[in-house]
Amino acid sequence: GVTRNLNPDVAYDPDEIRKYLRYLKARNVNMIRAQDPLWLSMCDEVGMMVFVGRYGAPKWKDAARHHAPEFDPSAVTYYKQLFAEQYMNSPSIVMWVLSNELPSAMSETGKQYTEFLRKCYEGLKVWDPTRAYIDNAGFGLGQTGDVNDFHVYMGWYNGTTDSTYKFRHDLRALAGVPSPPTQPMTFT
C-alpha cells in the first residue's frame, strides 16, 4: 500500500519518509512504486526512482479486470491525462505502469488486454519517449512495453527468498509466449 506497511502515525511524516527512503537506498533498493504526492515529493528530494501508474484495469469505457476493452485512440488520451495531470513534473518518475495484475498473456482475456495495451503503449511512447513503460505489472510477461515486471510474492505464495532461483530462466518460454530479445525485468 501507499504507506509501505509503516506505522500509520508516521507514514505521512516527511522526516520519517526521508528516513525510510534513505534506509532503502542504503540497502541498494533503487526504485519503488509510489503515487501519493507527499511520497513523490520525498522521492524527488532523496533521489529514489519511482514507477507509477494505473493499478488494476484502466478506468476507461467498459474496461474491467476480466473484460478487455476495444482500442480506440481515446484510450491513449486517457493515459496521457492520468499521467500528465498527476505525475508529469516529478523527476523521480522513470517508468509508467498501464495496468496491474490483469489476466496473464496466457488467457484469452490476457491476450485481448495485451493487444489493447500494445496499442496504448505505441501511442504513449511517442508522447513520452523519456520514460519506460510496463504494460501489465505482474502478469503481462513483458508482451508489450519496455519492461517485464513480475510479481513473485516471496515468502507469501512462493516460499522463501531463496526460491527466486526458480526465476533464473525466462518464464515466457514456459508460458508459450514470445520473449522480446532484450528487455529488463523487475520483481515487485
Side-chain angles (χ1 to χ4, degrees), residues 141-143 148 170-174 176-183:
L141 299 173
Q143 292 304 289
N148 180 5
D170 192 334
L171 297 179
R172 294 174 285 198
L174 296 173
V177 296
S179 298
T182 57
Q183 186 181 48

Side-chain angles (χ1 to χ4, degrees), residues 92-185:
S92 59
I93 297 173
V94 297
M95 199 175 309
W96 300 122
V97 178
L98 302 184
S99 64
N100 186 71
E101 295 188 351
L102 294 175
S104 80
M106 297 179 287
S107 71
E108 190 56 39
T109 302
K111 289 175 187 169
Q112 292 167 357
Y113 258 117
T114 296
E115 285 310 305
F116 171 78
L117 294 169
R118 181 184 325 278
K119 291 173 182 172
C120 290
Y121 163 73
E122 289 167 355
L124 290 166
K125 195 66 176 179
V126 171
W127 170 71
D128 184 2
T130 66
R131 293 178 171 105
Y133 291 81
I134 295 173
D135 65 340
N136 179 8
F139 302 155
L141 299 173
Q143 292 304 289
T144 188
D146 302 306
V147 177
N148 180 5
D149 180 64
F150 195 69
H151 294 182
V152 292
Y153 300 106
M154 290 304 146
W156 187 359
Y157 299 131
N158 287 308
T160 68
T161 54
D162 293 339
S163 60
T164 56
Y165 184 68
K166 68 184 172 188
F167 300 112
R168 69 193 179 284
H169 301 294
D170 192 334
L171 297 179
R172 294 174 285 198
L174 296 173
V177 296
S179 298
T182 57
Q183 186 181 48
M185 178 177 242

Side-chain angles (χ1 to χ4, degrees), residues 68-110:
E70 292 292 322
F71 176 82
D72 76 55
S74 70
V76 175
T77 302
Y78 157 80
Y79 280 111
K80 286 179 185 178
Q81 290 172 340
L82 172 72
F83 298 152
E85 288 176 7
Q86 297 180 48
Y87 309 115
M88 196 62 154
N89 294 324
S90 179
S92 59
I93 297 173
V94 297
M95 199 175 309
W96 300 122
V97 178
L98 302 184
S99 64
N100 186 71
E101 295 188 351
L102 294 175
S104 80
M106 297 179 287
S107 71
E108 190 56 39
T109 302

